């Protein structure tokens, strides 16, 4: 689906399919009924599934095109005043001055350039390998958007804003109108993209934990007990230990009284021992479940 229509929506639909596969796989692991052969077969089948295309591609291609189309929608607001509300699911009462200035002063070419620059910046942030640095960049973007949105609402409701536009030189007025509405709409549409990038990281990490869980299950079926460490799984059950992408080290493993615990440090990059809750953000897969619950 996503390969045919590379947008964020279709990426999330495809990702949901991967989540359903993980749920099924983990239920089978937790049942402790799999033979070593079955566990290996499931792992091979899961690995053979086509990988999800990176979320950055959906943003860089499909979402960028949608945003560029929105700029044309803005340009046609004077002919169809409700088009923005319908497209962005808004409930604004746009003043007549808005339609007048958009029709005369909204420079579509400059707006398209600003959209492309905005998306170039977003994609470059998503590609930052260090999760801490990437999140800082996202937070800075969010703060800027909130400031911009507050400024927009303040201007919209101020008669002085529209009166001042009348007295401005033509070029300055066109620049303000174009930047004002282009950046505001960009902020609305792109606000969810950082969350999508974080969700992708979480999904990929869960996938690695599930595959490791299948290898542990195969070992358990052969030996009647769980391994003391992941190293003993190499090379018969694992080619190599999966990496924790949040801290660039092997995933964490603990053998427990009744099963095992696999986890990643998660977004806070702190080893919370596989415990989840409050600010403890470890990404956890354990058998049986809820051993690490506070």
């Amino acid at each position: 689906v996503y390969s045919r229509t590379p947008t964020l929506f279709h990426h999330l639909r495809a990702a949901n399919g991967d989540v359903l596969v993980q749920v099924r796989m983990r239920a089978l692991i937790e049942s402790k009924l799999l033979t070593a052969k079955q566990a290996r077969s499931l792992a091979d089948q899961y690995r053979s599934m086509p990988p999800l295309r990176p979320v950055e591609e959906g943003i860089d291609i499909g979402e960028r095109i949608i945003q560029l189309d929105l700029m044309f929608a803005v340009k046609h607001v004077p002919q169809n005043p409700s088009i923005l509300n319908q497209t962005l699911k808004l409930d604004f009462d746009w003043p007549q001055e808005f339609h007048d200035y958009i029709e005369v002063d909204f420079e579509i070419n400059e707006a398209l350039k600003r959209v492309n620059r905005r998306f170039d910046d977003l994609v470059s942030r998503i590609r930052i390998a260090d999760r801490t640095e990437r999140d800082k960049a996202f937070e800075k973007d969010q703060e800027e958007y909130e400031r911009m949105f507050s400024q927009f609402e303040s201007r919209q409701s101020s008669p002085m804003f529209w009166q001042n536009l009348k007295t401005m030189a033509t070029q300055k007025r066109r620049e303000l109108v174009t930047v004002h509405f282009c950046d505001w709409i960009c902020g609305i549409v792109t606000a969810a993209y950082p969350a999508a990038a974080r969700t992708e990281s979480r999904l990929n990490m869960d996938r690695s934990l599930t595959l490791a869980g299948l290898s542990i299950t195969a070992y358990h079926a052969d030996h009647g007990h769980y391994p003391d460490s992941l190293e003993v799984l190499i090379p018969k059950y694992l080619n190599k230990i999966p990496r924790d992408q949040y801290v660039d080290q092997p995933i964490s493993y603990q053998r427990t009284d009744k099963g095992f615990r696999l986890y990643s440090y998660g977004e806070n990059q702190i080893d919370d021992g596989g415990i989840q809750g409050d600010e403890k953000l470890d990404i956890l897969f354990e058998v049986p479940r809820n051993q690490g619950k506070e």
Side-chain angles (χ1 to χ4, degrees), residues 39-106:
R40 290 193 188 93
S41 177
L42 284 173
D44 289 341
Q45 291 178 48
Y46 194 18
R47 291 190 186 95
S48 69
M49 287 178 59
L52 292 174
R53 292 176 62 179
V55 68
E56 70 181 65
E57 289 188 19
I59 293 173
D60 196 22
I61 302 172
E63 296 295 324
R64 184 192 295 260
I65 292 172
I66 290 172
Q67 184 70 60
L68 293 172
D69 283 345
L70 269 176
M71 292 302 102
F72 285 100
V74 172
K75 188 62 178 175
H76 290 89
V77 162
Q79 291 78 41
N80 185 0
S82 64
I83 192 170
L84 270 185
N85 283 356
Q86 292 170 356
T87 304
L88 299 175
K89 304 296 187 292
L90 301 175
D91 187 27
F92 278 128
D93 183 17
W94 302 97
Q96 181 57 44
E97 293 93 338
F98 167 75
H99 305 302
D100 295 341
Y101 283 115
I102 285 293
E103 186 170 27
V104 175
D105 294 313
F106 188 77

Side-chain angles (χ1 to χ4, degrees), residues 216-234:
I216 293 169
T217 299
Y219 179 95
H220 180 270
D222 282 341
H223 297 84
H225 62 84
Y226 290 107
D228 293 324
S229 68
L230 295 180
E231 283 77 7
V232 303
L233 300 177
I234 299 172

